[in-house]
Amino acid sequence: MTTHDSGTIYDDTDASPGLDPALPGADPYGVAVDDETEGATSFTVSGGDWNDLVDEATALHEERIVVNMGPQHPSTHGVLRLILELDGETVTEARAGIGYLHTGIEKNMEFRTWTQGVTFCTRMDYLTPMFQEAAYCLAIERLLGITDRVPERASIIRVLMMELTRISSHLIALGTGGMEMGATTVMTVGFRERERILRVFEAVTGLRMNNAYIRPGGVAQDVPHGAVDMVRGVISELRHGIGELEKLLVENPLLKGRTVGVGYLDLTGCVALGVTGPVLRSTGLPHDLRKSAPYCGYETYDFDVVTRTGADAYDRLRIRLDEMHQSLRIVEQCLDRLQRTEGQPVMVDDKKIAWPAQLAIGGDGQGNSLDHIREIMGTSMEALIHHFKLVTEGFRVPPGQAYVAVESAKGELGCHAVSDGGTRPYRAHFRDPSFNNLQAVAAMCEGSQVADVIVAVASIDPVMGGVDR
Amino acid sequence: MSDDTTDETTGEQTDGKALKSGEGAPVPDKATDSAATRTDDDPRAVSASQHTGGGRVAELSDEDREPVKIGERRGMFGATRGQDTSGYGGLVTPTLLPGASERPYGSYFDEVADLLGTALDGDLYERAVEKVVVDRGEMTLFVHREHLLAVARVLRDDPALRFEMCMGVSGTHYPGEEGRELHAVYPLLSITHGSRRIRLEVTCPEADPHVPSVVEVWPGNDWHEREVWDMFGIVFDGHPALTRILMPDDWPGHPQRKDYPLGGIAVEYKGGVVPPPDERRAYS
């Protein structure tokens, strides 16, 4: 049985148990027959009538039920699988199963040039692309020893983009978190506001997500004309939208009932589990890498680290709301500096690292800067060779290793980059905050109700693209 | 002249310490390493440096200082299948990672090394810490695997060190470094001391890929160690449940090792099989 002509690459074997209704296990989504272990009974629920299941389970007098929540469950943030052992409504044991979205990004990066790696790592945590790009590029710059030579304007643009990304990530965290508790308006408001930021990204980088905008040595290109004014307009709209979210959330008795005291994890637990970001700050510890180990010139910006002391889901939500206001403060400062540094370079002046052409869209909607094309095609063959070599082969990075951490929206995002002197990363490892923080699910959920698991996971704000990489 | 000034500022304390510990007169011989120029105001830091003298570590031999060769590159343009007609095909460039550093390490690194030396009781320090590499403003302590737990515990518990956070572990595979092919790298963070960072690096041979687990010291390393086991095949002895985490449970091999190819795995979904990209029909 083939679905194409001969030579097709889609070969369906006849013995496929999932497709032939005559074979056992006709339900392709159900458990396999031999899945029963130690005499335990498996129940498969795929929508439909839960009462039957409950009756069946009651009839068996089983008090201990293990429930697989996910990996395809709308409220588990993508393909997270939660294995919950239940005693009635109470979760006695909770474990997270991950790996369903593993795409081998780190391995792939070893087979591309250092610059191309940006395109890969931006896809890890797809809600915070700029943070991965920034961490990766900062690591490369440290390996190259050009950290101090990155132009000021490039750092300003990086900070601007990172803070906008932080806001958009927090908006998603609040929006999806609200949706998981049944508040769809929170979701629509959150996504509506995020859309404004994505429009800025599209105007500046050409892409809404997965931007590949921050490059080793600077950024891909300067912000376009009118971008500063555009962002200024967006700031006031965002202020209004975040205010709307605050009105919906902060004093909402339903929300408080669902979140206050839920997903509790104290400072000891956070530090032991290596948890960072809003979860750590909700215990009252003002740990923020932007303050304690500044990069990209964060020490020159005026902002506060938001902390609260409840250590629960509600305080994490409030921290996210307040952090968005702080981010907007930083964005405003960035805009003033961008106006001051108009016309300054956005890429390191080392011609062995920086791509020679600043891409400029021509009349036909694509293309390269005309001056550069005139030069490489008309006057300088060496420039053409140089351009070709730099783009195809890339630059060499001296051997060694570097670990650079940035404060992503979710916590410490670290990049461990190793070079063997070649044009490609020898190893690029990302310490994704969600990956680490998800370990806290057990500590947050055990002993609570099933419904609180959703809230606790939402308060960690994991993104499986980053967790599984 | 500089020695005189050092003695003037620290002379009294040094003598007292020397008498108490019977350590001789371990005066730091460089003006940059004196108590006066030390930025941290922790009194233990000062006493520790005098205790160990900043020179307690055995003198580095030339061999230690030499960069570590992990491989070599042939030719100049990356052609590997004999198509290099440029004349540079015979060129051999060794790949050298930085070797052991000499004191002073600079920044807070001297202090961390001194404090660790004191806390580990000097003798153990020399046995546990293979070498210290300071490169690009980052400090790497190469620790022998049998002493990793002792070092980790001290780094976490000693109030003057207090690296309370371990930011995971990252594996690296150097097939060219015989007998120490697999490296496990632990970035540590001390929030207490203003986001200080150091790095532990442990090596093990491919034939015996065992490293003690630090989960009992830093519980947050649980998943990170599982990931390194999954991707590099380093067995973390003492880990509570060392299973694969990103790849399927029955996956053969460890994908991020250098001898594991990219691609070559068919995509299977519901009985249909799509060959890997490098074996698909070509359109050329």
Side-chain angles (χ1 to χ4, degrees):
Chain A
M1 185 169 75
T2 54
T3 48
H4 282 195
D5 299 329
S6 60
T8 180
I9 53 175
Y10 300 97
D11 296 323
D12 278 352
T13 48
D14 285 340
S16 164
L19 298 175
D20 190 347
L23 289 167
D27 175 12
Y29 304 103
V31 288
V33 179
D34 57 358
D35 213 21
E36 296 179 15
T37 48
E38 297 165 29
T41 318
S42 295
F43 302 100
T44 308
V45 185
S46 48
D49 199 353
W50 282 70
N51 286 334
D52 295 345
L53 175 88
V54 176
D55 291 344
E56 211 178 324
T58 321
L60 276 167
H61 297 292
E62 289 276 1
E63 296 192 348
R64 177 177 163 275
I65 300 178
V66 179
V67 171
N68 258 312
M69 203 164 81
Q72 300 294 344
H73 189 279
S75 72
T76 54
H77 281 265
V79 283
L80 170 65
R81 174 183 170 213
L82 290 165
I83 307 151
L84 307 173
E85 191 182 302
L86 304 181
D87 181 9
E89 270 282 298
T90 312
V91 179
T92 52
E93 234 179 288
R95 294 288 179 273
I98 62 166
Y100 295 93
L101 206 55
H102 178 58
T103 44
I105 290 178
E106 289 176 2
K107 178 84 173 173
N108 270 296
M109 286 171 79
E110 293 169 14
F111 292 80
R112 297 286 186 275
T113 65
W114 289 94
T115 308
Q116 285 172 324
V118 176
T119 322
F120 278 87
C121 68
T122 191
R123 282 161 168 75
M124 289 181 168
D125 186 339
Y126 40 81
L127 295 183
T128 61
M130 293 295 177
F131 290 108
Q132 282 99 256
E133 295 174 18
Y136 176 65
C137 291
L138 287 169
I140 298 173
E141 283 155 14
R142 183 173 293 175
L143 283 173
L144 285 165
I146 58 167
T147 309
D148 299 332
R149 285 165 54 200
V150 175
E152 187 198 356
R153 190 171 168 85
S155 287
I156 297 169
I157 297 176
R158 284 179 180 184
V159 170
L160 172 76
M161 301 310 267
M162 278 194 280
E163 291 309 318
L164 286 174
T165 307
R166 189 183 314 279
I167 299 170
S168 77
S169 170
H170 281 350
L171 283 169
I172 294 285
L174 298 177
T176 55
M179 183 176 63
E180 284 158 11
M181 285 180 267
T184 41
T185 317
V186 177
M187 188 272 285
T188 50
V189 172
F191 275 80
R192 185 192 72 204
E193 297 306 317
R194 173 178 179 252
E195 203 62 25
R196 304 186 203 282
I197 296 174
L198 293 187
R199 274 199 284 274
V200 173
F201 284 170
E202 189 174 10
V204 174
T205 73
L207 293 164
R208 287 153 50 88
M209 293 164 75
N210 305 331
N211 312 84
Y213 177 63
I214 299 174
R215 301 280 173 85
V219 295
Q221 53 187 328
D222 204 347
V223 294
H225 290 295
V228 172
D229 293 333
M230 181 187 187
V231 179
R232 273 201 208 288
V234 165
I235 287 177
S236 59
E237 288 169 353
L238 278 174
R239 285 233 162 87
H240 184 77
I242 296 168
E244 210 171 306
L245 269 182
E246 280 170 342
K247 280 186 201 129
L248 275 170
L249 293 170
V250 172
E251 289 304 330
N252 186 334
L254 288 176
L255 178 109
K256 284 179 109 171
R258 287 292 303 275
T259 54
V260 173
V262 170
Y264 182 83
L265 188 67
D266 61 5
L267 179 60
T268 319
C270 281
V271 172
L273 291 170
V275 174
T276 46
V279 183
L280 179 62
R281 287 192 284 274
S282 74
T283 66
L285 183 73
H287 174 63
D288 190 320
L289 292 175
R290 292 176 292 171
K291 286 278 188 203
S292 63
Y295 48 90
C296 292
Y298 265 115
E299 66 274 17
T300 59
Y301 292 88
D302 190 20
F303 67 101
D304 299 322
V305 178
V306 184
T307 57
R308 293 177 77 85
T309 50
D312 58 3
Y314 178 72
D315 275 13
R316 286 165 210 149
L317 181 144
R318 291 290 300 274
I319 286 179
R320 293 203 170 92
L321 281 169
D322 294 344
E323 272 186 6
M324 288 197 280
H325 286 296
Q326 297 298 327
S327 291
L328 285 176
R329 270 175 78 188
I330 302 177
V331 168
E332 280 180 332
Q333 296 168 48
C334 287
L335 294 180
D336 295 341
R337 294 180 191 198
L338 279 183
Q339 280 177 326
R340 179 169 57 74
T341 58
E342 193 77 54
Q344 289 182 15
V346 294
M347 185 50 108
V348 69
D349 60 357
D350 188 338
K351 291 295 174 204
K352 288 288 176 195
I353 295 168
W355 284 11
Q358 288 287 308
L359 294 176
I361 296 174
D364 54 353
Q366 53 187 332
N368 224 321
S369 88
L370 271 179
D371 288 340
H372 181 66
I373 292 177
R374 207 169 288 131
E375 188 198 347
I376 59 175
M377 301 308 282
T379 60
S380 173
M381 189 182 185
E382 286 73 22
L384 176 64
I385 295 171
H386 173 75
H387 189 163
F388 177 75
K389 288 271 286 177
L390 192 57
V391 173
T392 55
E393 188 184 317
F395 51 82
R396 293 195 184 278
V397 174
Q401 59 179 332
Y403 178 87
V404 174
V406 301
E407 184 75 27
S408 132
K410 293 159 175 97
E412 168 164 336
L413 176 82
C415 175
H416 177 231
V418 184
S419 172
D420 67 341
T423 57
R424 300 178 296 191
Y426 190 76
R427 167 102 169 105
H429 173 71
F430 283 76
R431 188 257 185 212
D432 190 89
S434 309
F435 176 81
N436 190 94
N437 295 0
L438 255 189
Q439 296 181 91
V441 161
M444 285 185 186
C445 299
E446 285 176 6
S448 66
Q449 306 272 294
V450 184
D452 295 342
V453 174
I454 309 294
V455 178
V457 171
S459 78
I460 295 177
D461 185 25
V463 171
M464 299 316 285
V467 175
D468 294 340
R469 283 156 289 139
Chain B
M1 266 318 277
S2 64
D3 279 357
D4 290 344
T5 42
T6 314
D7 278 331
E8 254 170 46
T9 48
T10 62
E12 217 173 65
Q13 285 175 317
T14 315
D15 289 342
K17 274 287 158 196
L19 286 175
K20 231 181 265 175
S21 61
E23 283 276 330
V27 185
D29 56 354
K30 291 197 171 60
T32 49
D33 197 20
S34 72
T37 54
R38 202 169 287 281
T39 49
D40 203 286
D41 54 359
D42 185 351
R44 274 201 64 178
V46 178
S47 70
S49 75
Q50 286 156 358
H51 193 64
T52 56
R56 178 86 173 252
V57 184
E59 281 292 305
L60 289 176
S61 66
D62 288 343
E63 201 182 323
D64 291 331
R65 241 174 279 133
E66 256 177 31
V68 183
K69 186 180 165 187
I70 56 157
E72 58 190 27
R73 200 171 64 236
R74 288 176 177 278
M76 202 170 182
F77 301 101
T80 51
R81 292 180 199 143
Q83 295 129 331
D84 191 344
T85 53
S86 65
Y88 286 101
L91 195 70
V92 178
T93 321
T95 304
L96 302 172
L97 290 181
S101 308
E102 272 180 288
R103 281 176 183 268
Y105 302 137
S107 187
Y108 51 81
F109 302 146
D110 292 286
E111 192 191 320
V112 168
D114 292 338
L115 288 164
L116 186 63
T118 320
L120 277 179
D121 180 26
D123 190 32
L124 181 58
Y125 178 84
E126 272 164 42
R127 274 185 288 132
V129 179
E130 182 189 338
K131 62 178 172 184
V132 178
V133 178
V134 177
D135 180 41
R136 296 173 168 92
E138 296 182 10
M139 180 195 211
T140 312
L141 292 164
F142 280 76
V143 179
H144 289 294
R145 53 178 169 173
E146 55 269 28
H147 299 296
L148 173 66
L149 265 182
V151 173
R153 210 170 271 287
V154 163
L155 283 173
R156 185 195 66 175
D157 291 341
D158 192 284
L161 290 164
R162 195 65 85 203
F163 286 92
E164 65 275 271
M165 295 271 235
C166 181
M167 294 332 222
V169 49
S170 158
T172 321
H173 187 208
Y174 299 104
E177 211 185 339
E178 216 162 301
R180 14 189 313 141
E181 286 93 349
L182 294 164
H183 291 219
V185 183
Y186 304 81
L188 305 184
L189 168 71
S190 168
I191 297 177
T192 310
H193 294 287
S195 289
R196 281 185 180 178
R197 283 179 193 279
I198 62 166
R199 179 161 51 217
L200 297 183
E201 189 152 347
V202 184
T203 66
C204 62
E206 230 172 63
D208 175 32
H210 288 268
V211 169
S213 165
V214 296
V215 169
E216 58 178 280
V217 182
W218 291 295
N221 255 32
D222 184 341
W223 282 16
H224 297 278
E225 288 185 356
R226 281 175 66 190
E227 186 189 336
V228 173
W229 149 250
D230 196 351
M231 292 298 160
F232 290 90
I234 297 179
V235 181
F236 290 93
D237 297 318
H239 188 283
L242 195 67
T243 51
R244 287 189 181 271
I245 187 165
L246 296 179
M247 304 304 287
D249 289 343
D250 54 354
W251 194 264
H254 299 285
Q256 288 206 12
R257 287 200 180 180
K258 285 290 170 187
D259 48 10
Y260 193 101
L262 182 72
I265 310 289
V267 179
E268 296 173 38
Y269 185 66
K270 289 192 191 306
V273 176
V274 182
D278 47 342
E279 291 164 29
R280 281 183 202 158
R281 185 169 46 187
Y283 293 91
S284 57

